């Protein structure tokens, strides 16, 4: 009984092991390479697969998904004899599990070494500056070489990326100084351009301001001249309309005499003794001009002639008194200058009477 029980247990155990060996479940995106008695038999696809127990064996389990491998930094010498450290990232996928299993023993290590050697060949033909700025070109070259070589291994290289290119510390310091100097140069150029534009704009503004000021001054002068011309025309028309007589003109002259004598530069003012004759000649001249221009007093001016004559008589009286005082002061000054002797060359002036200043010059000519 005991022997029979042990035999049944052994048969059951062998059956379980045989079933386990005969049934193989392959997950998605994986292929298993099966060998029968040491030779390649078939490839198991995803799903349920049956094997011959103890005859068929799974050699490798190949992942068919795209894989990413980051290789450690590799020292590479450029064409200008600088050692740089380059990190690369490789993207690949297995397209033929059989060739990936039997064509090469370790395809991942082979891809790494191939990447390093190809990278050294590419970087060795470039200088540092070009290597730093030609990543796209390096990537395309690496992808072409790796894809051509790994194709016979049943592997497809989809992409190669250079993750970092690290030059030596001394070169990095020099590059930083160069970039700093370049930025300073650009900043100086921009400042100079800004200062230039500022000066140009300032000059243009000053030019326009000067033009506007000159134009404004010209317009002001034109308007001022037009105003003066209009004022003179108005005064002339008013005088011509009023038609003043000779006595009024003489009266205006007498009113202007104190203003002439009141100048700050007039230290001594000599009143001529022939003031009556001077006024007579001026009146005659003005009368002649009035006759030439048809200057006849208007009825309005004739009605106020009496008032004008009275004011003229009062002004003439004041002017005669002032002239006599000034004449006396002049005589006293001359006597003091000559020691009390009156100069023989100066005739004694005739006293000026107020009546002679307001008399009509025509009457004086008739009396003469």
């Amino acid at each position: 009984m005991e022997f029979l029980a042990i035999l049944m247990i052994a048969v059951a155990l062998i059956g379980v092991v045989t079933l386990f060996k005969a049934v193989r479940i392959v997950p998605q995106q994986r292929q298993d390479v099966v060998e029968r008695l040491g030779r390649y038999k078939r490839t198991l696809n995803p799903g349920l697969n049956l094997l011959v127990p103890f005859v068929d064996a799974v050699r490798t389990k190949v992942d068919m998904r795209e894989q990413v491998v980051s290789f450690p930094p590799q020292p590479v010498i450029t064409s200008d004899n600088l050692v740089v450290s380059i990190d690369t990232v490789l993207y690949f996928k297995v397209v033929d599990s059989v060739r990936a299993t039997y064509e090469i023993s370790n395809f991942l290590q082979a891809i790494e070494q191939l990447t390093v050697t190809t990278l050294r060949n590419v970087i060795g033909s470039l200088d540092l500056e070009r290597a730093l700025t030609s990543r796209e070109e390096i990537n395309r070259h690496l992808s072409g070489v790796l894809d051509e070589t790994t194709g016979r291994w049943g592997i497809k290289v989809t992409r190669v990326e250079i993750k970092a290119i690290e030059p030596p510390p001394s070169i990095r310091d020099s590059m930083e100084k160069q970039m700093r100097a370049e930025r300073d140069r650009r900043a100086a150029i921009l400042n100079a351009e800004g200062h230039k534009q500022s000066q140009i704009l300032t000059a243009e503004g000053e030019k326009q301001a000067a033009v506007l000021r000159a134009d404004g001054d010209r317009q002001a002068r034109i308007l001022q001249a037009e105003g003066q011309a209009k004022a003179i025309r108005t005064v002339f028309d008013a005088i011509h309309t009023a038609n003043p007589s000779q006595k009024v003109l003489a009266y205006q002259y007498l009113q202007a005499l104190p203003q002439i004598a009141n100048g700050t530069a007039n230290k001594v003012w000599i009143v001529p003794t022939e003031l009556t004759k001077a006024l007579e000649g001026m009146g005659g001249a003005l009368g002649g001009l009035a006759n030439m221009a048809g200057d006849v007093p208007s009825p309005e001016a004739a009605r106020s002639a009496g008032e004008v004559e009275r004011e003229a008589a009062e002004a003439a009286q004041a002017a005669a008194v002032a002239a006599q005082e000034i004449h006396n002061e002049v005589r006293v000054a001359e006597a003091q200058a000559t020691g009390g002797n009156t100069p023989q060359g100066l005739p004694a002036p005739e006293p000026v009477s107020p009546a002679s200043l307001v008399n009509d010059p025509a009457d004086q000519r008739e009396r003469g």
Side-chain angles (χ1 to χ4, degrees), residues 270-303:
I270 300 175
V271 179
T273 57
E274 293 83 0
L275 182 59
T276 305
K277 295 180 179 181
L279 292 176
E280 180 182 355
M282 184 178 296
L286 293 175
L289 292 176
N291 294 327
M292 292 174 62
D295 189 7
V296 180
S298 62
E300 291 80 2
R303 284 195 297 268

mmCIF file of all heavy atoms in Angstrom, residues 270-303:
data_model
loop_
_atom_site.group_PDB
_atom_site.id
_atom_site.type_symbol
_atom_site.label_atom_id
_atom_site.label_comp_id
_atom_site.label_asym_id
_atom_site.label_seq_id
_atom_site.Cartn_x
_atom_site.Cartn_y
_atom_site.Cartn_z
ATOM 1 N N ILE A 270 20.437 175.600 -24.538
ATOM 2 C CA ILE A 270 20.452 177.008 -24.919
ATOM 3 C C ILE A 270 19.223 177.283 -25.759
ATOM 4 O O ILE A 270 18.990 176.634 -26.774
ATOM 5 C CB ILE A 270 21.723 177.364 -25.704
ATOM 6 C CG1 ILE A 270 22.945 177.066 -24.823
ATOM 7 C CG2 ILE A 270 21.707 178.796 -26.161
ATOM 8 C CD1 ILE A 270 24.263 177.255 -25.536
ATOM 9 N N VAL A 271 18.422 178.230 -25.315
ATOM 10 C CA VAL A 271 17.245 178.640 -26.052
ATOM 11 C C VAL A 271 17.644 179.773 -26.988
ATOM 12 O O VAL A 271 18.195 180.785 -26.540
ATOM 13 C CB VAL A 271 16.124 179.103 -25.102
ATOM 14 C CG1 VAL A 271 14.920 179.559 -25.908
ATOM 15 C CG2 VAL A 271 15.746 177.990 -24.156
ATOM 16 N N PRO A 272 17.477 179.621 -28.278
ATOM 17 C CA PRO A 272 17.884 180.698 -29.193
ATOM 18 C C PRO A 272 17.032 181.949 -28.977
ATOM 19 O O PRO A 272 15.855 181.872 -28.634
ATOM 20 C CB PRO A 272 17.661 180.087 -30.575
ATOM 21 C CG PRO A 272 16.642 179.029 -30.364
ATOM 22 C CD PRO A 272 16.867 178.494 -28.992
ATOM 23 N N THR A 273 17.678 183.117 -29.156
ATOM 24 C CA THR A 273 16.981 184.383 -28.972
ATOM 25 C C THR A 273 15.994 184.637 -30.096
ATOM 26 O O THR A 273 15.017 185.370 -29.931
ATOM 27 C CB THR A 273 17.996 185.532 -28.935
ATOM 28 O OG1 THR A 273 18.758 185.492 -30.151
ATOM 29 C CG2 THR A 273 18.935 185.367 -27.758
ATOM 30 N N GLU A 274 16.254 183.987 -31.221
ATOM 31 C CA GLU A 274 15.343 184.167 -32.354
ATOM 32 C C GLU A 274 14.275 183.077 -32.337
ATOM 33 O O GLU A 274 13.973 182.452 -33.353
ATOM 34 C CB GLU A 274 16.128 184.129 -33.669
ATOM 35 C CG GLU A 274 17.075 185.288 -33.860
ATOM 36 C CD GLU A 274 18.383 185.047 -33.138
ATOM 37 O OE1 GLU A 274 18.494 183.970 -32.505
ATOM 38 O OE2 GLU A 274 19.265 185.884 -33.205
ATOM 39 N N LEU A 275 13.737 182.755 -31.146
ATOM 40 C CA LEU A 275 12.722 181.704 -31.059
ATOM 41 C C LEU A 275 11.472 182.092 -31.842
ATOM 42 O O LEU A 275 10.839 181.260 -32.486
ATOM 43 C CB LEU A 275 12.364 181.466 -29.582
ATOM 44 C CG LEU A 275 11.335 180.362 -29.321
ATOM 45 C CD1 LEU A 275 11.811 179.035 -29.867
ATOM 46 C CD2 LEU A 275 11.034 180.278 -27.837
ATOM 47 N N THR A 276 11.175 183.401 -31.818
ATOM 48 C CA THR A 276 9.980 183.839 -32.539
ATOM 49 C C THR A 276 10.143 183.644 -34.034
ATOM 50 O O THR A 276 9.238 183.143 -34.720
ATOM 51 C CB THR A 276 9.700 185.314 -32.240
ATOM 52 O OG1 THR A 276 9.606 185.463 -30.824
ATOM 53 C CG2 THR A 276 8.394 185.755 -32.885
ATOM 54 N N LYS A 277 11.350 183.974 -34.496
ATOM 55 C CA LYS A 277 11.591 183.795 -35.921
ATOM 56 C C LYS A 277 11.605 182.319 -36.309
ATOM 57 O O LYS A 277 11.150 181.946 -37.392
ATOM 58 C CB LYS A 277 12.916 184.456 -36.314
ATOM 59 C CG LYS A 277 12.905 185.963 -36.136
ATOM 60 C CD LYS A 277 14.223 186.559 -36.547
ATOM 61 C CE LYS A 277 14.232 188.088 -36.389
ATOM 62 N NZ LYS A 277 15.518 188.685 -36.804
ATOM 63 N N ALA A 278 12.157 181.505 -35.428
ATOM 64 C CA ALA A 278 12.163 180.068 -35.723
ATOM 65 C C ALA A 278 10.757 179.516 -35.801
ATOM 66 O O ALA A 278 10.403 178.748 -36.691
ATOM 67 C CB ALA A 278 12.970 179.316 -34.664
ATOM 68 N N LEU A 279 9.926 179.936 -34.824
ATOM 69 C CA LEU A 279 8.540 179.477 -34.852
ATOM 70 C C LEU A 279 7.822 180.028 -36.077
ATOM 71 O O LEU A 279 6.962 179.369 -36.673
ATOM 72 C CB LEU A 279 7.820 179.898 -33.582
ATOM 73 C CG LEU A 279 8.302 179.205 -32.293
ATOM 74 C CD1 LEU A 279 7.584 179.787 -31.094
ATOM 75 C CD2 LEU A 279 8.063 177.710 -32.385
ATOM 76 N N GLU A 280 8.187 181.273 -36.425
ATOM 77 C CA GLU A 280 7.553 181.852 -37.602
ATOM 78 C C GLU A 280 7.921 181.082 -38.856
ATOM 79 O O GLU A 280 7.073 180.768 -39.692
ATOM 80 C CB GLU A 280 7.988 183.316 -37.730
ATOM 81 C CG GLU A 280 7.382 184.026 -38.949
ATOM 82 C CD GLU A 280 7.883 185.463 -39.048
ATOM 83 O OE1 GLU A 280 8.591 185.889 -38.127
ATOM 84 O OE2 GLU A 280 7.546 186.122 -40.028
ATOM 85 N N GLY A 281 9.234 180.748 -38.987
ATOM 86 C CA GLY A 281 9.642 179.984 -40.165
ATOM 87 C C GLY A 281 9.002 178.604 -40.204
ATOM 88 O O GLY A 281 8.584 178.115 -41.243
ATOM 89 N N MET A 282 8.932 177.930 -38.990
ATOM 90 C CA MET A 282 8.295 176.607 -38.944
ATOM 91 C C MET A 282 6.832 176.706 -39.288
ATOM 92 O O MET A 282 6.273 175.870 -40.014
ATOM 93 C CB MET A 282 8.485 175.979 -37.557
ATOM 94 C CG MET A 282 7.932 174.555 -37.458
ATOM 95 S SD MET A 282 8.235 173.889 -35.835
ATOM 96 C CE MET A 282 10.000 173.862 -35.860
ATOM 97 N N GLY A 283 6.193 177.721 -38.730
ATOM 98 C CA GLY A 283 4.785 177.899 -39.043
ATOM 99 C C GLY A 283 4.564 178.182 -40.503
ATOM 100 O O GLY A 283 3.602 177.700 -41.106
ATOM 101 N N GLY A 284 5.483 179.014 -41.107
ATOM 102 C CA GLY A 284 5.348 179.277 -42.525
ATOM 103 C C GLY A 284 5.523 178.030 -43.366
ATOM 104 O O GLY A 284 4.800 177.807 -44.326
ATOM 105 N N ALA A 285 6.509 177.220 -42.966
ATOM 106 C CA ALA A 285 6.733 175.977 -43.721
ATOM 107 C C ALA A 285 5.545 175.050 -43.611
ATOM 108 O O ALA A 285 5.081 174.474 -44.596
ATOM 109 C CB ALA A 285 8.004 175.296 -43.230
ATOM 110 N N LEU A 286 5.034 174.890 -42.364
ATOM 111 C CA LEU A 286 3.877 174.031 -42.189
ATOM 112 C C LEU A 286 2.659 174.597 -42.895
ATOM 113 O O LEU A 286 1.809 173.857 -43.406
ATOM 114 C CB LEU A 286 3.589 173.834 -40.702
ATOM 115 C CG LEU A 286 4.670 173.044 -39.936
ATOM 116 C CD1 LEU A 286 4.340 173.017 -38.454
ATOM 117 C CD2 LEU A 286 4.775 171.638 -40.486
ATOM 118 N N GLY A 287 2.569 175.949 -42.888
ATOM 119 C CA GLY A 287 1.455 176.559 -43.602
ATOM 120 C C GLY A 287 1.540 176.313 -45.085
ATOM 121 O O GLY A 287 0.536 176.074 -45.748
ATOM 122 N N GLY A 288 2.788 176.387 -45.603
ATOM 123 C CA GLY A 288 2.943 176.101 -47.029
ATOM 124 C C GLY A 288 2.565 174.668 -47.362
ATOM 125 O O GLY A 288 1.924 174.392 -48.368
ATOM 126 N N LEU A 289 2.972 173.742 -46.467
ATOM 127 C CA LEU A 289 2.585 172.337 -46.699
ATOM 128 C C LEU A 289 1.086 172.170 -46.620
ATOM 129 O O LEU A 289 0.486 171.395 -47.356
ATOM 130 C CB LEU A 289 3.277 171.432 -45.684
ATOM 131 C CG LEU A 289 4.787 171.295 -45.826
ATOM 132 C CD1 LEU A 289 5.345 170.458 -44.687
ATOM 133 C CD2 LEU A 289 5.144 170.678 -47.166
ATOM 134 N N ALA A 290 0.500 172.909 -45.666
ATOM 135 C CA ALA A 290 -0.955 172.802 -45.531
ATOM 136 C C ALA A 290 -1.658 173.336 -46.763
ATOM 137 O O ALA A 290 -2.659 172.783 -47.223
ATOM 138 C CB ALA A 290 -1.420 173.561 -44.287
ATOM 139 N N ASN A 291 -1.117 174.491 -47.331
ATOM 140 C CA ASN A 291 -1.734 175.017 -48.545
ATOM 141 C C ASN A 291 -1.563 174.065 -49.722
ATOM 142 O O ASN A 291 -2.449 173.910 -50.559
ATOM 143 C CB ASN A 291 -1.126 176.388 -48.885
ATOM 144 C CG ASN A 291 -1.492 177.428 -47.824
ATOM 145 O OD1 ASN A 291 -2.586 177.368 -47.235
ATOM 146 N ND2 ASN A 291 -0.603 178.393 -47.593
ATOM 147 N N MET A 292 -0.371 173.403 -49.763
ATOM 148 C CA MET A 292 -0.134 172.463 -50.857
ATOM 149 C C MET A 292 -1.063 171.254 -50.760
ATOM 150 O O MET A 292 -1.534 170.734 -51.758
ATOM 151 C CB MET A 292 1.326 171.990 -50.857
ATOM 152 C CG MET A 292 2.315 173.075 -51.208
ATOM 153 S SD MET A 292 4.002 172.490 -51.017
ATOM 154 C CE MET A 292 3.975 171.201 -52.216
ATOM 155 N N ALA A 293 -1.289 170.800 -49.532
ATOM 156 C CA ALA A 293 -2.152 169.614 -49.347
ATOM 157 C C ALA A 293 -3.613 169.974 -49.210
ATOM 158 O O ALA A 293 -4.435 169.114 -48.932
ATOM 159 C CB ALA A 293 -1.697 168.839 -48.109
ATOM 160 N N GLY A 294 -3.947 171.301 -49.317
ATOM 161 C CA GLY A 294 -5.343 171.693 -49.136
ATOM 162 C C GLY A 294 -5.752 171.640 -47.694
ATOM 163 O O GLY A 294 -6.855 171.200 -47.366
ATOM 164 N N ASP A 295 -4.777 172.011 -46.768
ATOM 165 C CA ASP A 295 -5.014 171.918 -45.327
ATOM 166 C C ASP A 295 -5.789 173.142 -44.876
ATOM 167 O O ASP A 295 -5.221 174.178 -44.558
ATOM 168 C CB ASP A 295 -3.678 171.813 -44.602
ATOM 169 C CG ASP A 295 -3.874 171.501 -43.134
ATOM 170 O OD1 ASP A 295 -5.024 171.249 -42.737
ATOM 171 O OD2 ASP A 295 -2.852 171.504 -42.401
ATOM 172 N N VAL A 296 -7.083 173.104 -44.884
ATOM 173 C CA VAL A 296 -7.952 174.195 -44.462
ATOM 174 C C VAL A 296 -8.689 173.754 -43.220
ATOM 175 O O VAL A 296 -9.206 172.633 -43.179
ATOM 176 C CB VAL A 296 -8.954 174.562 -45.574
ATOM 177 C CG1 VAL A 296 -9.860 175.689 -45.138
ATOM 178 C CG2 VAL A 296 -8.195 174.948 -46.829
ATOM 179 N N PRO A 297 -8.674 174.565 -42.164
ATOM 180 C CA PRO A 297 -9.335 174.151 -40.920
ATOM 181 C C PRO A 297 -10.800 173.841 -41.178
ATOM 182 O O PRO A 297 -11.487 174.521 -41.908
ATOM 183 C CB PRO A 297 -9.162 175.359 -40.000
ATOM 184 C CG PRO A 297 -7.990 176.102 -40.545
ATOM 185 C CD PRO A 297 -8.030 175.888 -42.017
ATOM 186 N N SER A 298 -11.212 172.780 -40.552
ATOM 187 C CA SER A 298 -12.608 172.365 -40.667
ATOM 188 C C SER A 298 -13.469 173.221 -39.767
ATOM 189 O O SER A 298 -12.963 173.885 -38.859
ATOM 190 C CB SER A 298 -12.724 170.891 -40.276
ATOM 191 O OG SER A 298 -12.321 170.729 -38.941
ATOM 192 N N PRO A 299 -14.759 173.224 -39.984
ATOM 193 C CA PRO A 299 -15.648 174.022 -39.120
ATOM 194 C C PRO A 299 -15.551 173.605 -37.663
ATOM 195 O O PRO A 299 -15.625 174.448 -36.778
ATOM 196 C CB PRO A 299 -17.031 173.736 -39.705
ATOM 197 C CG PRO A 299 -16.770 173.356 -41.132
ATOM 198 C CD PRO A 299 -15.477 172.648 -41.137
ATOM 199 N N GLU A 300 -15.383 172.311 -37.398
ATOM 200 C CA GLU A 300 -15.262 171.884 -36.000
ATOM 201 C C GLU A 300 -14.007 172.460 -35.364
ATOM 202 O O GLU A 300 -14.019 172.888 -34.202
ATOM 203 C CB GLU A 300 -15.230 170.358 -35.937
ATOM 204 C CG GLU A 300 -16.549 169.680 -36.294
ATOM 205 C CD GLU A 300 -16.727 169.603 -37.789
ATOM 206 O OE1 GLU A 300 -15.811 170.040 -38.511
ATOM 207 O OE2 GLU A 300 -17.790 169.116 -38.252
ATOM 208 N N ALA A 301 -12.876 172.463 -36.161
ATOM 209 C CA ALA A 301 -11.633 173.028 -35.615
ATOM 210 C C ALA A 301 -11.745 174.533 -35.451
ATOM 211 O O ALA A 301 -11.161 175.119 -34.537
ATOM 212 C CB ALA A 301 -10.468 172.688 -36.541
ATOM 213 N N ALA A 302 -12.492 175.242 -36.313
ATOM 214 C CA ALA A 302 -12.634 176.698 -36.188
ATOM 215 C C ALA A 302 -13.416 177.066 -34.944
ATOM 216 O O ALA A 302 -13.146 178.091 -34.311
ATOM 217 C CB ALA A 302 -13.319 177.253 -37.441
ATOM 218 N N ARG A 303 -14.397 176.268 -34.566
ATOM 219 C CA ARG A 303 -15.182 176.593 -33.377
ATOM 220 C C ARG A 303 -14.352 176.516 -32.113
ATOM 221 O O ARG A 303 -14.577 177.243 -31.159
ATOM 222 C CB ARG A 303 -16.358 175.612 -33.286
ATOM 223 C CG ARG A 303 -17.477 175.929 -34.290
ATOM 224 C CD ARG A 303 -18.746 175.181 -33.912
ATOM 225 N NE ARG A 303 -18.529 173.735 -33.992
ATOM 226 C CZ ARG A 303 -18.787 173.043 -35.095
ATOM 227 N NH1 ARG A 303 -19.205 173.649 -36.200
ATOM 228 N NH2 ARG A 303 -18.609 171.734 -35.097
#
